[in-house]
C-alpha cells in the first residue's frame, strides 16, 4: 500500500548547490509551462546562455469554473519576451495537448518546428485551420536522428503512446544530458508494432543523465498499463457477436484505435465510415502519410452507413467524452444531421472519462441505452486503455535512466507527489527531486540543481478571439450571472429637479421567469419609485435603487441577482 | 463479460395483461419519482383504491448544467393533487436523498411519518431546520414491526447500508405482495453488527412476491461490495503509522464511518473532534439516540484540535466530495475559521467521488498535498466502500425474493438496464421486467403488469425560496450569461421626433474586462448612434441596436453576449 513507503515529498524550495558556480555558461534553466490543474503538461522551455529550446506547445480544455472559456493555452510570456532567442520548437507527438497551442506561439515567434512524420502531418492540419501554414519552417525527423541546435543537441527516440510516431528526447547541453520522456508507456505489443526504444533509454542512462523529466499521468496506477492489443481483443469479441451496426467512439486523433476498428471490421466483413469533421481530417492525413491503412474511397458515406445491411457497417466517431456538440452525443439524441442511433446498434464508448467529464459520459451512455443501443463503456468492458505508463513502468524508466536529478511533469500535483515518491524509492536522493508548479524556474549546474523563482503563470484563457483578456473579474461576473442572473433598472430623471420623468424600467434575465413574475417586477418598480421620492444626487439614486431592490428581491425569492441601476438625466 | 448474456432489455411500453380485469379494486399503481439523471431514487408512491402510500421523500443535488439551482426535489404534483388520500409516509433510512424533500411534502400533505429510531432522529433534525417539527405526526418503528395502514400492510426488515438503522419493506396489498429493497448491501460484518435480514427476505420470497423494487446503484459492479470493516482495517493501518494529526473527511450523515474513527482513535490514544455544522448536528443526534458511542463532552474543541500534541488528535469533517464551501476544502486552502491543514497532517478523504464531482475532489487532494499533508484517497487506498449492493448481491436478492415482476429503481438508466439483465439471467421473464422513467405509472393486477402513462416529471428545481419557478427559459438565459455575459444599451429618444436625446449608455458584465475595453465600448456607442441616425419607430430602434452590436461585437471579440436594448421615450 501507498503509505508503506511514505515520507513526505513536498515542494522543496531549498537549493542543493553543491560545488557549482553561477556563471551563465554553467547554468541550464528548465521551465515547465501550461496545464490546467496539471503541471508542465503542455510546454517546456530549456534555456542555456540565453538560447531557448521549446518542447511542445499544447492546449487544454477549461475547468468547470472557467465559464465561457473556449480553450486554455500555456502562459508563454517568458518566450514572447525573447522571440529571437528561440532555436527550435520540438514536438513529441501529435495530440492536441502538445500541438494545439502552436498557432498562438508561431504568430509571435519565428522558429523552425521539428516533428516526426505523422506528428508533422497533424501539426499541418492544426496550422491550416488557423491559416498559418505558409511561412512556417517545418522539418521532419525520425527516431534515431540527432539534431544539432547548438548549444543543444537533440536525439529522438521512439516511445509508445496512444498515437503513433511519438518520441522522447535526449538533449545534450553544456551542463549535462537532459532526458524528456514524452508521453509514454512500455507497450510490448503496440498496434503499429513499434516498441518504446529500451536500448536507447539504457544507452542514455549509461552516459549519465543530469535530469529526467517524466510523464506522471498514471503515477497513481499500480502495475503496468495494459497493451493497446487488449482493446483489440475486446473489440474483436464485440464484432464477433454484434448483429447490427457497430459504432465506436474515440478521440479524433486516436489513429491507433481507428486502425484497430478498420482491421477488425475487415475481418468480419464490415466496411468503415467516419462521422465527425475533425476525425475525418486526422484520418485522411494519417492515411496519406501511411499511418492508417484505410483508403479514402474505402470509407462509407453517411448514406451507406444508413442503408447498407447493418451487419456490414462499422462507424468510428468522436464524442467519447460526451462533449455536448460531438457526433456521438447528437447521434444518441437522434439529432445528428447524417447518422443516428437505431435499436440494435452496438456502441463502444472507447475512452475513460477525463476527470470532470464523467457526468457527460454517463448521460450519453444513458441516452444510448434509451435509444435502444447496446453499449460497451468503461464501467463494464475494457474498451480503452491509457496511453500513459503506470507505476511499474515508471520505476523501470527511472532505473534505466538513473538520473541525478528528477522532475516529475505532466500531471496533477498529487501525481507528481506519487511519482516523486517512486523516484525516491528507486534511489534518487530526496533533495534531488523537484516538484514544481507551472511557470516555476528550475536551474541546474553540472552538479547542482534548485528552484529559483517563477516567470509565468500556469496558463492563459482563450475566449473567442480574446487571448488572456478574460481574467478573474469577468469570470466572477459570469459566475454570479450563472447563479442568479441580473436586473437592470433604467430610470430617467430631470437633470435639474432630479425628479423621475420616465421609468423605472426593469429588465431581467436568468433571475425569474418573467412571464410569471409580473407582480414581482411591478412591486419592485413601486419600491424603486418610493425610494426615489425625494430625488437626490445621481450617485445616491443608484445606491438607493440597488439597496432597495437587493433587499426586496432577497426577501421575496432568496436569490441575489446582480443589480445594475442606470440613471439617465434628460 | 457483460455482452455474454446480452439481449436488449429496452423500455417496454407493451403490456402483459394476462387474464386480469381492470376494476380499480384489482389495480395497484406504483409510481417512482425523483432523481436527477437517476430514476425512482428519492420517492415512491403506491396507490390502491385511491389510497396512497409514500415511501421516502429525498432531495438530490443539481447536475452541472442546472446553473444556480440549490437542490432538486421530486415532482410531487400527483401527491399534491390528492393531499387527503395519503395514508402514510414511510422512510427507509436517514440519508438526505431519502429524507431531504420532506419539508416540501409535509407543508402540503398531512400524513403520519414512520421511521426507525435513528432515521426518525435525522428526520427531526431536517424538519427542525425548516421550523416544521411542530404538528408533524412522527412514529418510531423497528425492524420486525408490522403496520396496518389499510389497504396496505407494511412490514419492516433490516438492511445494511452506509448508515445504521436502514430498512427494506414488505408491503401486502390486496393485489399482491410488494417488496421494496431500500438502499441495501449484504454486509456480513457491518460496523454495528446488524446484518441484512436474510431470513425475512427468504420468508417474503416464500410467500410469493408480486413485484420487487430494488436499488440499482451498483448494478454495473461485479462481485460483492466489500464490508465496511475493510475501511476500518485501512483506517487502523493509517492510525498505526501517522505521527501527526489525522483528519478523516466523509459525508455528514455517515454515522458508521464516524463510529469507526472514534473506535480506532481510542485504540491509539487519540481524541476525536468534529468540524462542520451539519456533521456535528447529525453526530449529536446519533449519540443521543445511542447510535454513536461518543459523548459530547468527549469531543475535542477546535482549540484542542490545534493545541493538543498532534499524535493525540483525530478530526472528522465534511468535504469528502470537494464541495467548495465544505470544511475540508477550506481547511486545505488555509481558509477555515477554526482548523487548517498543517504539514505533517494525514488526511483521509473517505468517499468515492459522485460522478460530476471528480474535478472538485481531485483539486482538493492536490491542495492538501500542497499544504503539506499526506493524503489517502480513492485512487490510492480503500478508504471508502459503497453502501450499495454489487452484482452478486443483486442476484442473491432476486433469487431470495423470486418476484413475478421486477422493477429496477434507484439508478441511472444504464444501471437499470444492467439490473434488468441480471433479473432476466436469474429467471424473471423478460416481459415481466419494467424499466421506467421517473413519473411513469406502473399498474399491476394479481397476475399482470404494465406501464400506463406518465403523471409527473422527474423532478422540480429549488432555487432560493422558489420551488419549481426556474425552468428551461431561466436556465437557458443563465447558460448564455455564463458563457459571454450581457450588454445593456440604454438610449433616450424624443417621443415625437424619435431623435436620440441621451445616450446610448452601454452597461456590460461578464463579456469583456471593462477597464481595458474602453475603446471597444466607445466604438460600439458610435455604431449605435450611426445606426439610429434616421430615427424610426421604437420597435425598429431596438432591432437596429441589437443587430448592429451583435455583429460588431462578434467581429471584434468572437463572442456573443446577450444584447438588450432599452429605449426610453422622453
Amino acid at each position: 500500500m501507498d503509505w508503506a513507503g511514505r515520507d513526505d515529498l513536498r515542494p522543496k524550495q531549498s537549493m542543493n548547490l553543491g560545488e557549482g558556480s553561477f556563471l551563465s555558461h554553467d547554468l541550464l534553466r528548465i521551465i515547465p509551462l501550461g496545464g490546467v490543474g496539471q503541471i508542465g503538461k503542455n510546454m517546456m522551455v530549456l534555456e542555456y546562455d540565453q538560447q531557448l529550446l521549446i518542447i511542445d506547445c499544447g492546449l487544454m480544455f477549461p475547468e468547470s469554473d472557467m465559464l465561457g472559456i473556449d480553450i486554455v493555452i500555456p502562459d508563454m510570456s517568458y518566450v514572447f519576451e525573447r522571440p529571437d532567442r528561440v532555436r527550435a520548437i520540438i514536438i513529441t507527438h501529435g495530440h492536441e495537448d502538445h500541438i494545439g497551442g502552436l498557432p498562438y506561439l508561431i504568430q509571435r515567434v519565428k522558429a523552425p518546428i521539428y516533428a516526426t512524420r505523422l506528428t508533422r502531418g497533424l501539426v499541418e492540419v492544426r496550422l491550416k485551420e488557423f491559416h498559418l501554414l505558409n511561412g512556417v519552417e517545418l522539418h521532419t525527423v525520425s527516431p534515431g536522428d540527432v539534431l544539432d541546435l547548438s548549444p543543444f543537441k537533440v536525439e529522438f527516440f521512439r516511445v509508445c503512446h496512444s498515437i503513433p510516431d511519438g518520441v522522447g528526447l535526449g538533449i545534450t547541453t553544456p551542463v549535462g544530458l537532459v532526458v524528456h520522456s514524452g508521453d509514454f508507456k512500455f507497450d510490448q505489443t503496440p498496434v503499429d508494432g513499434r516498441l518504446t526504444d529500451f536500448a536507447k533509454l539504457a544507452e542514455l542512462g549509461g552516459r549519465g543523465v543530469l535530469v529526467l523529466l517524466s510523464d506522471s499521468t498514471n503515477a497513481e496506477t499500480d502495475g503496468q498499463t495494459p497493451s493497446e492489443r487488449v482493446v483489440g481483443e475486446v473489440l474483436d469479441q464485440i464484432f464477433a457477436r454484434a448483429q447490427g451496426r457497430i459504432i465506436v467512439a474515440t478521440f479524433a486523433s486516436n489513429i491507433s484505435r481507428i486502425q484497430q476498428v478498420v482491421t477488425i471490421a475487415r475481418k468480419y466483413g464490415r466496411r468503415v465510415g467516419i462521422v465527425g469533421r475533425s476525425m475525418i481530417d486526422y484520418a485522411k492525413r494519417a492515411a496519406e502519410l501511411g499511418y492508417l491503412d484505410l483508403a479514402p474511397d474505402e470509407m462509407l458515406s453517411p448514406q451507406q452507413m444508413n442503408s447498407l445491411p447493418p451487419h456490414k457497417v462499422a462507424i468510428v466517431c468522436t464524442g467519447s467524452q460526451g462533449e455536448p456538440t460531438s457526433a456521438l452525443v447528437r447521434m444518441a439524441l437522434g439529432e445528428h444531421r447524417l447518422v443516428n442511433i437505431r435499436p440494435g446498434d452496438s456502441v463502444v464508448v472507447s475512452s475513460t472519462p477525463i476527470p470532470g467529464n464523467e457526468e457527460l459520459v454517463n448521460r450519453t451512455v444513458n441516452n444510448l441505452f434509451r435509444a435502444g443501443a447496446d453499449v460497451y463503456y468503461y464501467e463494464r468492458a475494457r474498451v480503452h486503455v491509457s496511453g500513459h505508463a503506470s507505476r511499474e513502468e515508471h520505476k523501470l524508466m527511472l532505473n534505466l535512466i538513473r538520473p541525478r536529478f528528477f522532475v516529475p511533469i505532466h500531471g496533477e500535483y498529487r501525481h507528481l507527489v506519487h511519482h516523486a515518491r517512486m523516484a525516491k524509492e528507486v534511489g534518487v536522493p530526496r533533495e534531488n527531486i523537484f516538484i514544481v508548479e507551472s511557470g516555476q524556474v528550475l536551474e541546474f549546474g553540472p552538479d547542482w540543481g534548485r528552484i529559483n523563482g517563477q516567470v509565468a503563470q500556469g496558463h492563459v484563457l482563450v475566449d473567442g478571439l480574446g487571448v488572456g483578456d478574460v481574467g478573474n473579474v469577468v469570470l466572477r461576473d459570469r459566475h454570479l450571472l450563472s447563479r442568479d442572473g441580473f436586473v437592470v433598472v433604467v430610470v430617467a430623471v430631470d437633470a435639474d429637479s432630479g425628479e423621475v420623468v420616465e421609468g423605472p424600467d426593469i429588465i431581467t434575465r436568468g433571475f425569474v421567469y418573467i412571464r410569471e413574475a409580473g407582480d414581482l417586477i411591478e412591486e419592485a418598480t413601486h419600491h424603486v419609485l418610493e425610494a426615489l421620492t425625494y430625488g437626490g444626487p445621481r450617485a445616491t439614486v443608484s445606491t438607493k435603487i440597488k439597496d432597495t431592490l437587493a433587499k426586496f428581491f432577497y426577501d421575496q425569492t432568496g436569490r441575489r441577482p446582480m443589480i445594475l441601476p442606470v440613471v439617465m438625466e434628460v
Side-chain angles (χ1 to χ4, degrees), chain A:
Chain A
M1 278 181 223
D2 180 42
W3 54 91
R6 88 177 186 74
D7 186 354
D8 286 341
L9 274 162
R10 280 172 291 108
K12 286 186 58 57
Q13 295 293 340
S14 70
M15 56 180 87
N16 173 27
L17 290 175
E19 317 293 294
S21 75
F22 276 91
L23 298 177
S24 76
H25 63 267
D26 261 358
L27 179 78
L28 173 70
R29 283 207 179 87
I30 300 181
I31 311 170
L33 296 172
V36 174
Q38 310 218 13
I39 293 159
K41 172 157 175 157
N42 310 117
M43 190 171 177
M44 181 79 59
V45 175
L46 268 65
E47 179 178 17
Y48 180 85
D49 195 20
Q50 304 195 21
Q51 300 290 303
L52 307 190
L53 184 72
I54 293 173
I55 302 167
D56 292 335
C57 186
L59 65 77
M60 287 286 285
F61 294 102
E63 296 195 298
S64 55
D65 51 2
M66 297 176 177
L67 297 173
I69 297 303
D70 298 322
I71 62 166
V72 184
I73 58 173
D75 174 0
M76 309 182 203
S77 48
Y78 190 78
V79 177
F80 291 156
E81 287 157 15
R82 296 158 179 79
D84 305 325
R85 300 292 177 80
V86 179
R87 288 290 282 126
I89 302 162
I90 313 280
I91 307 294
T92 61
H93 64 286
H95 276 154
E96 291 251 311
D97 59 334
H98 292 255
I99 69 173
L102 276 174
Y104 302 91
L105 176 62
I106 64 168
Q107 288 182 60
R108 297 175 65 173
V109 172
K110 300 292 165 218
I113 300 173
Y114 296 87
T116 56
R117 211 150 64 95
L118 176 63
T119 306
R120 177 188 172 158
L122 300 180
V123 166
E124 286 170 353
V125 170
R126 178 80 186 157
L127 295 183
K128 215 167 169 180
E129 281 171 32
F130 280 73
H131 310 290
L132 285 171
L133 195 49
N134 290 336
V136 175
E137 188 185 333
L138 272 164
H139 299 277
T140 303
V141 295
S142 297
D145 284 359
V146 182
L147 283 186
D148 187 0
L149 299 163
S150 170
F152 308 102
K153 196 180 77 179
V154 181
E155 296 168 77
F156 297 82
F157 56 90
R158 186 177 300 287
V159 292
C160 295
H161 187 40
S162 48
I163 187 169
D165 231 13
V167 292
L169 309 170
I171 305 164
T172 305
T173 77
V175 171
L177 177 57
V178 177
V179 173
H180 185 295
S181 71
D183 286 14
F184 81 102
K185 65 194 268 192
F186 289 147
D187 192 338
Q188 305 287 352
T189 52
V191 174
D192 64 1
R194 292 168 177 174
L195 302 178
T196 296
D197 190 344
F198 297 95
K200 185 67 181 181
L201 290 172
E203 189 264 319
L204 288 166
R207 275 193 242 164
V209 171
L210 180 70
V211 190
L212 170 63
L213 308 160
S214 186
D215 173 6
S216 308
T217 308
N218 285 346
E220 290 178 345
T221 309
D222 286 323
Q224 166 99 19
T225 303
S227 170
E228 294 285 321
R229 179 149 305 178
V230 172
V231 177
E233 288 161 12
V234 174
L235 288 175
D236 193 294
Q237 292 174 43
I238 294 170
F239 272 73
R241 285 173 180 278
Q243 311 285 315
R245 301 186 303 182
I246 298 173
I247 294 145
V248 180
T250 186
F251 293 108
S253 63
N254 197 335
I255 306 297
S256 310
R257 194 63 37 81
I258 301 174
Q259 182 63 66
Q260 287 179 307
V261 173
V262 169
T263 306
I264 297 167
R266 281 199 193 115
K267 174 177 166 189
Y268 290 98
R270 291 176 186 254
R271 286 178 60 197
V272 176
I274 298 180
V275 180
R277 177 49 46 198
S278 55
M279 185 180 272
I280 292 174
D281 288 348
Y282 280 127
K284 282 190 172 161
R285 197 82 189 94
E288 284 163 21
L289 295 169
Y291 288 85
L292 178 65
D293 171 20
L294 176 70
D297 60 358
E298 210 186 330
M299 279 170 49
L300 292 181
S301 69
Q303 289 74 12
Q304 292 172 312
M305 297 180 210
N306 291 323
S307 62
L308 281 180
H311 67 281
K312 293 289 180 195
V313 176
I315 298 170
V316 194
C317 67
T318 54
S320 60
Q321 291 290 320
E323 306 92 325
T325 59
S326 68
L328 184 68
V329 169
R330 285 181 291 153
M331 289 160 73
L333 293 169
E335 294 173 357
H336 197 280
R337 201 166 41 89
L338 302 171
V339 186
N340 285 303
I341 299 299
R342 302 191 300 220
D345 286 346
S346 292
V347 180
V348 181
V349 185
S350 183
S351 79
T352 302
I354 295 168
N357 287 357
E358 289 83 355
E359 190 183 319
L360 293 174
V361 173
N362 293 346
R363 193 183 292 179
T364 304
V365 170
N366 289 328
N367 287 332
L368 290 165
F369 273 122
R370 284 193 174 95
D374 195 9
V375 195
Y376 303 93
Y377 53 106
Y378 70 107
E379 288 280 8
R380 290 297 301 150
R382 196 177 270 288
V383 288
H384 180 69
V385 296
S386 172
H388 300 270
S390 297
R391 290 172 64 85
E392 290 310 312
E393 294 158 277
H394 285 305
K395 292 177 197 162
L396 178 55
M397 173 65 91
L398 283 156
N399 280 329
L400 285 168
I401 298 297
R402 283 172 289 139
R404 180 155 184 170
F405 294 96
F406 176 62
V407 182
I409 57 168
H410 205 293
E412 296 178 38
Y413 201 90
R414 61 196 174 114
H415 301 128
L416 309 191
V417 169
H418 286 296
H419 205 173
R421 288 178 180 178
M422 278 188 282
K424 182 165 168 290
E425 279 172 34
V426 304
V428 180
R430 179 177 162 159
E431 62 273 18
N432 286 7
I433 300 170
F434 299 105
I435 297 180
V436 291
E437 304 275 2
S438 294
Q440 280 195 305
V441 179
L442 289 154
E443 292 184 345
F444 295 97
D447 49 12
W448 56 266
R450 64 170 183 177
I451 299 170
N452 190 13
Q454 179 145 11
V455 295
Q457 300 305 309
H459 54 247
V460 168
L461 308 181
V462 178
D463 182 7
L465 302 174
V467 179
D469 69 325
V470 169
N472 289 337
V473 173
V474 174
L475 286 182
R476 197 200 54 209
D477 283 346
R478 287 181 184 172
H479 181 71
L480 292 173
L481 291 168
S482 79
R483 287 195 53 81
D484 288 327
F486 72 87
V487 176
V488 171
V489 186
V490 185
V491 57
V493 297
D494 187 281
D496 300 320
S497 69
E499 264 176 49
V500 174
V501 294
E502 181 70 25
D505 281 6
I506 291 186
I507 304 103
T508 176
R509 292 288 187 283
F511 166 44
V512 289
Y513 184 43
I514 303 166
R515 281 171 193 247
E516 291 177 357
D519 292 350
L520 183 79
I521 300 300
E522 200 178 312
E523 213 181 319
T525 310
H526 291 309
H527 279 276
V528 172
L529 274 179
E530 208 170 278
L532 298 186
T533 302
Y534 302 104
R538 185 164 164 161
T540 325
V541 173
S542 292
T543 311
K544 273 185 191 161
I545 293 175
K546 217 164 165 170
D547 293 349
T548 303
L549 287 186
K551 184 176 176 340
F552 172 70
F553 285 136
Y554 186 73
D555 288 346
Q556 296 292 313
T557 67
R559 299 173 201 162
R560 300 187 187 282
M562 191 183 279
I563 296 171
L564 298 160
V566 182
V567 182
M568 301 207 101
E569 294 181 340
V570 291

